[in-house]
Amino acid sequence: FSVKQIEKRDSVLTSKQQIDRLLRPGSSYFNLNPFEVLQIDPEATDEELKKRFRALSILVHPDKNQDDPDRAQLAFEAVDKAYKNLLDPEQKKRAVDVIQAGREYVEHNMKEKKKQLKKDGKPQFLEEDDPEMFRQAVYKQTMKLFAELEIKRKEREAKDMHERKRAREEEIETAEKAKREREWQKNFEETRDGRVDSWRSFQAGKSKAKKEKKPRSFLKPPKVKMEQRE
């Protein structure tokens, strides 16, 4: 769709319809494509992008939807996030690359299908030859690619979080071990003098007891007198 066609299509959508569109089931994945959120062509100029953002943000702004402010706020946040992503050259290029990859995938599949039809001697006509059907096929494949990338991103994030948690636990364990060793060393130093004094007192007591101990006396056997002979 051209920008003008998209703007014409969106002009009939009310605030409520836009909020419903942005919060429809599966929106967490649909809204990964910033161009889809803003409903603007990837080739749109910066000025057209700015104009589209203003129009859509006003339409879903909570102040303009006071009968449903909470959902309006969520919709507004989705629009704001998409716009900021497209203002970032790196994020915009990533989104354009994903859309281009989706288009190339569909075109490659169509080419392979037509080869097979030709080989089978059948008419080489596909439903994707219709511009609208082709657009839908690209849309579905693009959404699938965005979803796959998001799933991988979350997996990496979860893995990184787990590794950071494990590293933190190891850091805490190391710190606690060092603390225990310091406390043990401190306690050892503080009680050393007491242990030395106790040992000296013990040794002194043994020495004194040894000196005071009387020598053992042994009973001498009585002398036997020899009888004199007459």
Side-chain angles (χ1 to χ4, degrees):
F1 277 27
S2 67
V3 174
K4 289 184 178 179
Q5 286 176 311
I6 291 173
E7 289 180 345
K8 183 179 179 181
R9 181 188 66 186
D10 294 343
S11 66
V12 300
L13 295 182
T14 64
S15 293
K16 183 181 183 306
Q17 288 172 328
Q18 283 290 4
I19 292 172
D20 288 343
R21 177 183 71 85
L22 292 166
L23 301 181
R24 67 193 184 281
S27 60
S28 59
Y29 285 105
F30 289 126
N31 293 348
L32 292 172
N33 182 351
F35 294 105
E36 170 61 21
V37 172
L38 298 177
Q39 293 183 304
I40 194 168
D41 193 279
E43 297 178 2
T45 65
D46 290 345
E47 186 59 34
E48 289 170 331
L49 175 62
K50 187 176 181 180
K51 180 182 176 183
R52 178 58 190 154
F53 167 70
R54 282 179 177 174
L56 190 54
S57 62
I58 290 173
L59 206 57
V60 301
H61 198 282
D63 290 347
K64 298 289 184 180
N65 297 274
Q66 295 186 8
D67 58 325
D68 195 5
D70 292 340
R71 295 181 75 246
Q73 180 63 35
L74 293 174
F76 178 80
E77 289 173 2
V79 171
D80 187 61
K81 181 180 179 181
Y83 181 60
K84 286 178 178 176
N85 281 344
L86 294 181
L87 288 180
D88 182 331
E90 186 176 336
Q91 291 287 345
K92 183 176 181 179
K93 183 180 184 303
R94 174 181 172 276
V96 170
D97 288 347
V98 173
I99 293 171
Q100 183 60 31
R103 176 182 288 272
E104 290 175 356
Y105 181 87
V106 173
E107 289 174 343
H108 175 74
N109 271 2
M110 289 176 66
K111 187 176 180 181
E112 291 300 310
K113 286 179 181 178
K114 287 189 175 184
K115 278 184 181 180
Q116 189 61 44
L117 288 172
K118 183 178 181 180
K119 184 178 179 181
D120 296 342
K122 297 178 181 179
Q124 299 174 47
F125 177 76
L126 301 172
E127 62 177 13
E128 291 90 350
D129 287 329
D130 177 83
E132 179 59 23
M133 297 302 292
F134 176 77
R135 189 193 70 80
Q136 289 183 21
V138 172
Y139 173 82
K140 290 178 182 177
Q141 184 59 33
T142 299
M143 288 299 102
K144 183 179 179 182
L145 290 176
F146 271 110
E148 289 175 351
L149 287 172
E150 179 65 6
I151 290 170
K152 288 179 180 179
R153 185 192 69 79
K154 287 183 176 180
E155 288 175 348
R156 287 196 304 271
E157 191 176 77
K159 183 179 179 182
D160 290 344
M161 187 179 294
H162 176 72
E163 290 178 352
R164 286 196 299 271
K165 181 181 178 183
R166 185 179 62 182
R168 179 59 180 160
E169 289 173 348
E170 290 177 354
E171 183 182 334
I172 291 172
E173 176 58 29
T174 300
E176 289 180 346
K177 183 178 179 182
K179 182 181 178 182
R180 289 195 297 269
E181 289 177 350
R182 287 195 303 270
E183 289 176 348
W184 184 89
Q185 186 66 30
K186 181 181 178 183
N187 184 60
F188 179 83
E189 295 290 341
E190 289 176 347
T191 60
R192 179 175 57 185
D193 292 343
R195 290 196 305 275
V196 170
D197 290 342
S198 295
W199 175 253
R200 286 173 177 166
S201 297
F202 173 72
Q203 292 293 341
K206 284 178 64 178
S207 178
K208 184 178 180 182
K210 189 173 182 181
K211 289 179 180 178
E212 292 177 350
K213 191 174 182 181
K214 295 179 179 180
R216 298 174 69 180
S217 59
F218 298 93
L219 294 175
K220 294 181 180 180
K223 291 182 179 181
V224 178
K225 292 181 179 182
M226 297 295 292
E227 292 182 359
Q228 292 182 354
R229 293 183 180 180
E230 296 181 352

